Amino acid sequence: MKLGTSGSRFESNEKVLSASFKISQLITKSKKPLTIGENLLKPCLLTAVEKILGAETKKKIQEIPLSNNTVKARIDEMSFDIEEQLLVRIKNSPFFALQCDKTTDVSQCCQLCNAPKIVLSIEKTYPFSENFLYLRSFVLEFYYPKQ
C-alpha cells in the first residue's frame, strides 16, 4: 500500500481492492463465518503463492485486507450498491408492483419480505424483472391485561 497524498491515509491498489471485494463476495456465497478470510483463506493464499510464485508475489498478496471487519464492510457496501441500483431501476420504470409477504421464523420472529416487479420496457421481449428488495424482522411485544 502506498501513502496517500494527504499523508494520513493509505491508498489501496485497485487490484488489491478488487480482490478484496471478490473474496468477500465468495465468503458470503459460501455462508461461512466472515473470519474465514483471515483465519483460513489468507494463510492458504500466502502459502500457495510463496511456494509457486515466490516471495515478491507473496508481499502483494499480503496487502489484501481480509479481516472480518473488512469483509463485513465490503458486504455492506455491495449490498447498499445493489439496493441503490434496484431503487434507480424502480424510479426509472414506467410501472412497478410491490409484492409483500409476511412470515414467522422458527423463533417466532415476524418478518416482512418485499419483492418489486419492474416493467423495464414495453417493447422488449422480456419486459419484466423480479428482484428481492429486503427482508425485515419485527419484534412484537404482546401485552396481556392483568386478571
Side-chain angles (χ1 to χ4, degrees), residues 24-107:
S24 298
Q25 183 182 21
L26 293 172
I27 291 171
T28 304
K29 285 182 178 180
S30 72
K31 299 179 183 175
K32 301 289 183 195
L34 302 183
T35 56
I36 198 169
E38 64 182 341
N39 294 340
L40 179 65
L41 295 179
K42 194 165 185 176
C44 289
L45 281 170
L46 292 173
T47 303
V49 166
E50 184 179 29
K51 296 290 182 189
I52 297 169
L53 301 172
E56 184 64 32
T57 309
K58 180 183 176 184
K59 289 179 185 176
K60 292 180 182 178
I61 298 296
Q62 283 178 329
E63 293 178 1
I64 301 174
L66 290 178
S67 70
N68 60 334
N69 291 336
T70 303
V71 171
K72 183 187 179 319
R74 303 279 189 251
I75 293 167
D76 289 344
E77 194 171 334
M78 287 185 281
S79 174
F80 179 76
D81 184 53
I82 291 169
E83 186 176 350
E84 286 297 312
Q85 289 178 29
L86 182 58
L87 291 174
V88 166
R89 288 176 61 194
I90 290 172
K91 289 176 185 176
N92 293 335
S93 69
F95 306 102
F96 71 91
L98 187 61
Q99 177 184 350
C100 298
D101 188 20
K102 62 178 172 45
T103 184
T104 306
D105 64 8
V106 294
S107 65

Side-chain angles (χ1 to χ4, degrees), residues 6-25:
S6 65
S8 62
R9 303 187 101 190
F10 288 97
E11 288 182 6
S12 181
N13 188 354
E14 189 174 324
K15 290 180 182 180
V16 171
L17 185 64
S18 176
S20 177
F21 271 98
K22 187 62 182 172
I23 292 171
S24 298
Q25 183 182 21

